[in-house]
Amino acid sequence: MSERIQPRTLKGFRDYLPEAMIPREWLIDTARSVYRSYGFSPIDTPALEYLEILTGKGSEETDKQLYRFQDHGGRDVGLRFDLTIPLARFAAQHIQELGIPFKRYHIANVWRGENTQRGRYREFMQCDFDTIGTESNSADIEMVLVVHDLFAAIGFEDFQIHVNNRRVLNGLLEKLGLAERSTLVLRALDKLAKGGAKVVSQELTTVAGASEGQVRDILQLATLRGDNSQVLAQLTPLLAGSETGERGLNELAEMVAALDATGIPSGRFGIDVSIARGLDYYTGTVLETFLEKLPGIGSVCSGGRYDNLAELYTKEHLPGVGASLGLDRLLAAMEELGQLKKTSTTAPVFLPFFAAAHRDDYLRLAANVRRAGIGVEFFPEAKKLGKQLQYADKRGFRIALIAGADELAAGQCQVKNLATGESTTVSAAEDGTAVIAEIRRILGA
RNA sequence: GUGGCUGUAGUUCAGUUGGUUAGAACGUCGGAUUGUGAUUCCGAAGGUCACGGGUUCGAAUCCCGUCAGCCACCCCA
């Protein structure tokens, strides 16, 4: 034992203590229930894939960030860096059994070997949902609704879903004769929110090789302001004559009308022509979600429509639309906003081990309360009551059930509200119905 | 991957121009209080000063490397 191994974790990888894990699980549960409420079904895929599956896309950037190695059988493998590529492979393999349209959600860890920053890690969780196999704009509209419901369910008031359509931009680029360099242009445009017009125009000129006039037209389009109908009206002349652009415009207009009809508060959703998304596989709707109080953290939920998800893996034509919630970035944001409740207990009720000779009575009482669907933690040692209550207080329990030899002899139990300190004595007989009723009363209040 | 800042008990931080035994608060554990939790009092545990090397009579302090964290770029959730 002379030399111990230093306990440590890799850069960008983290341990989760109960205090961090409890809100994390809550967020996952919330996302899951919103996705399910729209009929999305869960799937899972392996963390490790054949390298060729992951590098199929071939972009340099993802290639650099990919965790890759040879497995014990000498196969070239890699850890998934998002959930979309695995979905493409998954769909190519199983779409026959699944049928179309296929709606799935996938909540899982992904890995990227990039440099860390607040809210950005090398192992992080994504909560994706996608609808594949349909080109209907309804699916795009539903995507926005899901994102809206998701953030509302999490408890945010001040969030904004920015929506755009790639066809709008592509239409303009066609008109300008820049269609071939669209990826470079879009990537530059993606920096508008952060860097401003100067940065964008410089990158457009130097990287994308756009002329002064082209830069001016692109920026004019991207910096349109006003409410949704105003933006749509201003876009119309800019895109006139471009089939692609007009189609994009129509899709946007349809979406605006549909979302208005569902009664989404207007401040939470807006056309933002500057949203481009760096990823080049998006072809139609693109979406980003920002927290008004924390614009610096960037988009916490992004997504869009892609024409052919699985073309690398199958002949089957599989269009899709979906978005991804960045769970860890969102948790970092919520922590910064003080929006996370601090508890490190999962059961609401605490049962002190008070009278050492009565362990079985406590276990029976706890079992009765649990049968009613209420979690109970029984303290493992018959320590001083004060100590046990201190423990309960620190963990954030809401109720303590206090029963010493006297109460047990009388068939009674104190139900103590730990928030107020009030305590009522009720009968513990009849499988604890009175105890359970009192607990429910306190929890309900 | 590039550049900048940082690293001292579980946590937040002191620590003089390099000087001998590295401190505090909070937290933890025990006691005052063999039946009631954020109060009070007493006591205890807890540090290879991130790790490794160098300079020096002497290093938490100066230098180099590694690791990690934060920030910017890049990219993105």
Side-chain angles (χ1 to χ4, degrees):
Chain A
M1 273 300 157
S2 57
E3 274 195 25
R4 288 191 198 279
I5 298 162
Q6 191 190 352
R8 55 191 188 145
T9 49
L10 285 164
K11 180 185 177 75
F13 289 72
R14 298 166 301 155
D15 287 327
Y16 302 99
L17 273 59
E19 199 173 275
M21 202 60 196
I22 288 169
R24 196 176 164 79
E25 284 196 346
W26 176 82
L27 208 55
I28 292 168
D29 287 344
T30 305
R32 185 182 288 137
S33 75
V34 171
Y35 295 163
R36 282 176 173 244
S37 75
Y38 282 80
F40 291 88
S41 317
I43 70 160
D44 201 5
T45 66
L48 216 51
E49 296 268 6
Y50 278 103
L51 194 61
E52 69 198 51
I53 299 281
L54 298 174
T55 53
K57 219 50 224 175
S59 123
E60 277 174 45
E61 201 50 50
T62 52
D63 225 48
K64 255 172 34 186
Q65 298 182 354
L66 196 60
Y67 276 97
R68 54 163 80 185
F69 51 93
Q70 285 201 331
D71 74 2
H72 292 178
R75 285 170 281 256
D76 289 317
V77 297
L79 285 165
R80 61 179 172 219
F81 60 90
D82 71 6
L83 298 177
T84 306
I85 300 291
L87 172 62
R89 194 223 81 226
F90 177 95
Q93 238 171 298
H94 302 293
I95 199 66
Q96 308 295 343
E97 338 161 26
L98 295 166
I100 275 173
F102 174 59
K103 300 169 73 171
R104 71 92 233 229
Y105 69 88
H106 192 179
I107 298 175
N109 278 337
V110 302
W111 296 267
R112 290 184 199 175
E114 66 176 340
N115 245 342
T116 54
Q117 237 172 90
R118 173 163 289 281
R120 301 178 63 171
Y121 309 97
R122 290 184 168 179
E123 177 181 63
F124 58 98
M125 185 165 274
Q126 290 195 325
C127 307
D128 278 31
F129 67 95
D130 288 83
T131 301
I132 63 180
T134 174
E135 285 181 337
S136 166
N137 201 20
S138 299
D140 301 55
I141 293 161
E142 187 175 83
M143 166 175 72
V144 181
L145 290 171
V146 171
V147 172
H148 173 268
D149 286 8
L150 181 55
F151 280 85
I154 292 166
F156 279 105
E157 300 282 341
D158 306 321
F159 63 90
Q160 258 208 326
I161 305 170
H162 294 213
V163 178
N164 190 18
N165 194 307
R166 272 275 173 97
R167 290 190 224 278
V168 168
L169 285 159
N170 287 337
L172 180 75
L173 295 181
E174 276 174 27
K175 279 181 77 173
L176 295 176
L178 280 168
E180 282 153 31
R181 278 168 279 178
S182 68
T183 302
L184 294 175
V185 173
L186 294 175
R187 196 161 282 168
L189 208 46
D190 212 25
K191 286 160 195 156
L192 188 62
K194 211 172 181 180
K198 266 187 198 162
V199 172
V200 176
S201 65
Q202 194 170 7
E203 183 164 334
L204 283 173
T205 315
T206 55
V207 181
S211 73
E212 211 173 297
Q214 289 170 327
V215 170
R216 195 187 54 235
D217 282 359
I218 292 167
L219 281 176
Q220 189 195 349
L221 182 95
T223 53
L224 288 180
R225 292 284 168 270
D227 65 31
N228 291 332
S229 56
Q230 287 171 335
V231 171
L232 286 171
Q234 289 173 278
L235 280 173
T236 309
L238 285 171
L239 297 168
S242 161
E243 197 184 320
T244 310
E246 285 175 358
R247 179 170 163 200
L249 201 52
N250 274 339
E251 288 171 351
L252 267 181
E254 219 177 276
M255 179 176 279
V256 169
L259 292 173
D260 282 345
T262 62
I264 286 190
S266 57
R268 288 179 173 171
F269 158 77
I271 296 177
D272 180 342
V273 198
S274 69
I275 295 295
R277 310 282 307 123
L279 286 172
D280 27 339
Y281 56 71
Y282 290 116
T283 52
T285 306
V286 283
L287 161 159
E288 293 200 340
T289 312
F290 296 97
L291 304 177
E292 235 151 88
K293 288 178 185 158
L294 277 181
I297 202 147
S299 172
V300 286
C301 181
S302 315
R305 171 168 285 283
Y306 34 86
D307 257 348
N308 200 349
L309 174 72
E311 63 184 337
L312 286 169
Y313 315 103
T314 179
K315 274 190 275 185
E316 195 101 19
H317 179 64
L318 286 174
V321 59
S324 176
L325 174 72
L327 187 96
D328 294 277
R329 189 178 277 190
L330 185 61
L331 278 168
M334 290 176 76
E335 194 181 354
E336 209 170 320
L337 293 171
Q339 216 170 320
L340 292 180
K341 322 147 207 162
K342 284 201 175 172
T343 48
S344 46
T345 179
T346 49
V349 176
F350 179 69
L351 177 58
F353 192 170
F354 195 176
H358 289 269
R359 171 160 67 196
D360 296 353
D361 291 320
Y362 294 123
L363 292 175
R364 191 171 57 246
L365 176 61
N368 282 334
V369 177
R370 287 190 198 110
R371 251 194 292 281
I374 301 163
V376 182
E377 177 175 333
F378 177 49
F379 200 77
E381 293 174 44
K383 286 215 279 194
K384 282 198 208 169
L385 184 59
K387 291 287 174 195
Q388 296 189 52
L389 287 174
Q390 217 169 54
Y391 168 88
D393 187 48
K394 177 155 295 161
R395 301 289 161 125
F397 284 96
R398 301 187 54 193
I399 291 167
L401 298 180
I402 299 173
D406 299 349
E407 283 92 347
L408 290 171
Q412 289 182 327
C413 171
Q414 287 181 40
V415 180
K416 183 173 178 121
N417 182 335
L418 289 170
T420 63
E422 288 164 16
S423 174
T424 43
T425 302
V426 299
S427 166
E430 297 170 40
D431 297 336
T433 32
V435 176
I436 291 159
E438 179 61 13
I439 291 171
R440 288 218 168 103
R441 193 187 66 75
I442 294 170
L443 290 179

